[in-house]
Amino acid sequence: MVRRISVKKNESGMTLVEALATLTILSMVVVLIWTTFSISTKHSIMETTKLQLQQEANYILTEIQQQHRQLECYTLDIREDRVQLFNCKQTPELIEVISTNYKYKEYNSGDIKPKEGNLSFTLTVKDSKKDSKLKVEVVTNISRYKSYN
């Protein structure tokens, strides 16, 4: 007695077309994830730079305000590469270099006498990286406490 074994021809497996379709879908998902990651990284760097510019502006204004409340006369000199304070004497002496970390919009106040009035100006701090257009502008009015003696 001979037994015959029947083999079913309904084999299951992956065809080349199915493998290519899977690879195409997988590569599209990877490209989407990579693009999202790249965009979020660039956005994060830009926001961090803006925050640093704002912190620099706050620091500069705090230093100017402190000197404004202490000095009788000074000159605020903002160049593209530095922010400095000078006294008002015939031969001006440097009081303080406040900052040299970024680029600034130039401004020269002339003699400031805090007892005679407030200092109003716009401080512009720019990113020093080449081709960067990031900047922070702060409109400020610095005053001095008035004493009535």
Side-chain angles (χ1 to χ4, degrees):
M1 186 163 155
V2 177
R3 285 183 147 180
R4 286 191 161 176
I5 301 175
S6 65
V7 178
K8 294 184 178 180
K9 295 211 175 197
N10 191 6
E11 296 178 20
S12 62
M14 262 180 112
T15 65
L16 181 59
V17 172
E18 291 171 333
L20 288 175
T22 302
L23 285 174
T24 302
I25 291 171
L26 181 63
S27 64
M28 288 170 53
V29 169
V30 168
V31 166
L32 180 66
I33 291 171
W34 182 258
T35 302
T36 303
F37 177 74
S38 175
I39 289 171
S40 66
T41 302
K42 287 178 184 177
H43 182 71
S44 176
I45 290 170
M46 184 179 69
E47 290 301 316
T48 301
T49 302
K50 280 184 181 178
L51 180 62
Q52 289 170 341
L53 293 173
Q54 183 66 48
Q55 288 174 337
E56 179 71 7
N58 289 343
Y59 168 74
I60 292 169
L61 292 174
T62 300
E63 290 295 316
I64 293 170
Q65 186 175 35
Q66 181 180 9
Q67 295 299 332
H68 186 83
R69 291 183 176 164
Q70 292 176 358
L71 300 172
E72 296 300 317
C73 183
Y74 67 94
T75 299
L76 174 62
D77 184 36
I78 301 176
R79 305 286 176 170
E80 183 181 8
D81 61 339
R82 67 187 177 277
V83 178
Q84 343 179 73
L85 288 173
F86 293 92
N87 66 12
C88 293
K89 296 179 183 175
Q90 292 293 334
T91 55
E93 296 173 5
L94 180 65
I95 297 172
E96 178 180 13
V97 175
I98 297 176
S99 182
T100 59
N101 298 333
Y102 297 93
K103 292 182 178 179
Y104 311 95
K105 184 177 179 185
E106 295 194 11
Y107 174 80
N108 190 324
S109 66
D111 288 352
I112 300 169
K113 297 181 180 175
K115 286 187 177 181
E116 294 177 7
N118 299 338
L119 171 62
S120 297
F121 70 102
T122 301
L123 175 64
T124 303
V125 182
K126 303 174 192 174
D127 188 14
S128 56
K129 293 177 188 160
K130 187 177 180 180
D131 298 329
S132 178
K133 295 180 181 179
L134 291 177
K135 68 179 180 179
V136 171
E137 291 185 345
V138 180
V139 179
T140 188
N141 185 14
I142 298 176
S143 61
R144 187 173 194 168
Y145 298 122
K146 295 180 182 179
S147 61
Y148 299 100
N149 296 352

